[in-house]
Amino acid sequence: MATNEETGGKGGVWVLDQQFDQPMDEEAKRLRNMYQEKKISTAILLQLAFQSLGVVYGDLGTSPLYVFYNTFPRGIDDPEDLIGALSVIIYSLTLIPLVKYVFIVCRANDNGQGGTFALYSLLCRHAKLKAIPNQDRTDEELTTYSSSTFGEQSFAAKTKRWLEGHALMKSTLLILVLIGSCMVIGDGILTPAISVLSAVGGINVRHSRISNEVVVLVAVVILVLLFTMQHHGTDKVGWLFAPIVLLWFLLIGGIGMFNIWKFDRNVLKAFSPLYVYRFFKKGGKDGWTSLGGIMLSITGTEALFADLSHFPVPSIQIAFTCVVFPSLLLAYSGQAAYLMKHSDHVYGAFYHSIPDSIYWPVFVVATAAAVVASQATITATFALVKQALALGCFPRVKVVHMSRKYRHQIYIPEVNWIVMVLCIAVTAGFKNQNQIGNASGTAVCIVMLVTTLLMILVMILVWHCHWVLVLIFTGLSFLMEGTYFSAVLLKVNQGGWVPLVISAAFFIIMYVWHYGTVKRYEIEVHSKVSMAWILGLGPSLGLVRVPGVGLVYTELASGVPRIFSHFITNLPAIHSVVVFVCVKYLPVCTVPEEERFLVKRIGPKNFHMFRCVARYGYKDLHRKDDDFEKKLFDSLFMFLRLESLMEASSDSDVSSLLDQQTKQSGDGLFSNNSDPYSIVDQSIASGDSIVPADSSLGANNAVISTHQAGSPVEIDEIEFLNNCKDAGVVHILGNTVVRARKNSKFWKKIAIDYLYAFLRKICRENSVMFNIPHESLLNVGQIFYV
């Protein structure tokens, strides 16, 4: 099975897992894998490049359906204008999708993940930019947590200190990420509308008697079916996507070659950059305005980066350079050749340029390709919302995995129906490719500008590029994208306002939710109970200890939450075993299962209080079938065994065991302490120690068992924990109400008391997100004033 390994954020390396019959040492396995990888890499990359066509390039590939009509909505007055527009399209495709995205931006992935939130997570690991500071040093020892070091006087170090030293810069960076993400969601609404409407528009191109209202109705029906089928997943029909899109590219490339040969071969002079200069010099304001239509030729480029997680970078590059890029150049050149002889056919230029003998087969393939392109943008929207949800920037919504085989296939019901309603409203409201195209161009341009700003920081902090290279990349990117942005701004009143309104609504939701989450976390940190207070209560915690286990859920990874003191103040009893459970998301794409849990002991042993931190990446999902409670208790049992082993065994035995486990589960899992006893010493001294609960330790239960005979205390505590578990497990959650203080500013009262409160009311409860059985749930109410 193919896997993607971390390569410092500069692209994934894909290898093939192999089973070996003969035992081999690690070095021999590594050499053999390298040898086999060289033999099979070409075949695998070609296969993945083929599959990527159906997922990554559908949106970019369907742009020829509507580009020339949106560029010349009033018709073509001069053939030289057409040649100039074609030249701008050619060099836009070359410089932005090919050079910038495929060969530069795609290398800035986060362990194979792409998109604005992936770039933000990558930056958060190289600088302290995250608004919720719930990370500690142990998190940085994850095998998927890649970060780099640099000299104190380097340009990267100075940039890092500048970002970390200004709270305004952190907020500005987060706002940029949210704006880019909201624009991607807006594009996910507009792309299905314009793609399907343009494809179905081939009906009245050939049969002019069919009205535009019928075309819109057919497009709406297709969109309804598309969104309705989302909850079934695409794994059953996904194998059709790549052949459909490949056939589409072959058709548009072949039709383009035919039209160039048949109508006008002079269009090939558009490959000269001289015609770009002539286009801007002659066109004036009209030529500048037409850039809003030319911009549509590169829509889908942002989806290319957002859908990067499905395939390795080399396969993306092969597919684009060998199939997508030449096909698109031929398609646009062929349409231009046709329009040189039929300038009055600019509306529906693609369908007019199709030879009569293959018109309807191409129409069917075009409609199917438009549906595939729409599916790609919908999937990208789901993935983005999932990332935002994990990073605390989106209200809690239901995330469903649609396939056990394909982990990237997720479905979010609430988002699906909202996007469907907005998409249908745009299609039925505008009934026009031109205005929808203006809207789509605005969204895409803003996403590209945000990606450029994030890439500048990635080049400095992650890649450690020389400032000259950063300056060249920044200048060229802003020159191209800034030019397009100035053009789309001229069309804000012609449909370009739509993504701005949609994105503004989503931005308010995401920012208010994140703001409320940060304020709630800050008040919990400041109001947490001190360890001295817990120790002063004694082993009984000043109450009756009843049989059972109490799992107290908290967002704090250290300290005792206020919910606990509030609970024991109002109730006369607490469970014999108390476990503070913290489920937190880190700025990594995934946390390996064997590194998921961290277990700590709180106070002396006779308190029977623990902390369990469950760590997830933004790609991970806390699902029902994960059996979270069972794994939590397994981690507790393993912690007790390992703790007892450290106390009872000799130095050599412990060192040998820890070395063995570190090799099995990855270096740096335990911590960088050279002395394994230092963990235990800290545990005894502070009463709040960190010991990673590695599930792979289960392989050495036999080793542990040999020492358990001399450890009656450990055996008794495990039996005690088992008995308490059998007596019953109660999940204790804080039902926290957040209110703004009376002397707060007006905007803060609106954000907290109305918007944030409304979002918390309509979103899913924590108990649902944690899959807690209703019969074992106990809510503890409290009010926080922020």
Side-chain angles (χ1 to χ4, degrees), residues 573-611:
I574 190 64
H575 299 88
S576 299
V577 176
V578 177
V579 182
F580 296 101
V581 181
C582 173
V583 178
K584 68 176 181 178
Y585 285 86
L586 302 177
V588 297
C589 67
T590 184
V591 175
E593 194 67 38
E594 65 271 12
E595 302 177 49
R596 176 86 66 209
F597 293 96
L598 289 177
V599 178
K600 310 177 183 181
R601 182 186 290 279
I602 299 179
K605 283 188 175 182
N606 55 353
F607 278 41
H608 302 299
M609 295 177 65
F610 305 91
R611 184 186 325 281

Side-chain angles (χ1 to χ4, degrees), residues 74 134 204 412 682:
R74 299 183 183 89
N134 61 351
N204 62 1
I412 305 178
Q682 292 174 7

Side-chain angles (χ1 to χ4, degrees), residues 642-643 645-646 650-671 673-680 691-692 694 696-697 700 703:
L642 185 58
E643 183 186 54
L645 179 63
M646 287 178 173
S650 64
D651 290 359
S652 60
D653 291 337
V654 176
S655 298
S656 174
L657 178 62
L658 290 180
D659 289 343
Q660 184 178 356
Q661 296 311 319
T662 302
K663 289 178 180 178
Q664 286 184 358
S665 58
D667 293 338
L669 219 172
F670 278 90
S671 72
N673 295 323
S674 59
D675 180 11
Y677 270 99
S678 64
I679 303 177
V680 180
V691 176
D694 186 357
S696 64
L697 285 171
N700 291 289
V703 178

Side-chain angles (χ1 to χ4, degrees), residues 44-108:
I44 287 181
L45 285 176
L46 290 177
Q47 179 183 354
L48 291 171
F50 167 70
Q51 294 174 353
S52 70
L53 292 173
V55 177
V56 177
Y57 294 113
D59 187 7
L60 190 64
T62 53
S63 296
L65 288 168
Y66 44 79
V67 166
F68 277 113
Y69 171 63
N70 283 274
T71 304
F72 302 104
R74 299 183 183 89
I76 301 172
D77 299 327
D78 189 346
E80 286 296 313
D81 295 337
L82 182 61
I83 298 295
L86 176 61
S87 187
V88 175
I89 291 173
I90 290 171
Y91 284 97
S92 295
L93 285 170
T94 303
L95 296 176
I96 297 180
L98 179 63
V99 176
K100 180 184 174 182
Y101 273 85
V102 173
F103 287 102
I104 298 178
V105 176
C106 282
R107 297 180 65 242

Side-chain angles (χ1 to χ4, degrees), residues 126-142:
H126 290 78
K128 296 178 182 179
L129 302 174
K130 195 177 179 185
I132 301 178
N134 61 351
Q135 294 176 232
D136 54 37
R137 183 175 56 85
T138 312
D139 297 330
E140 299 178 7
E141 297 172 358
L142 288 170

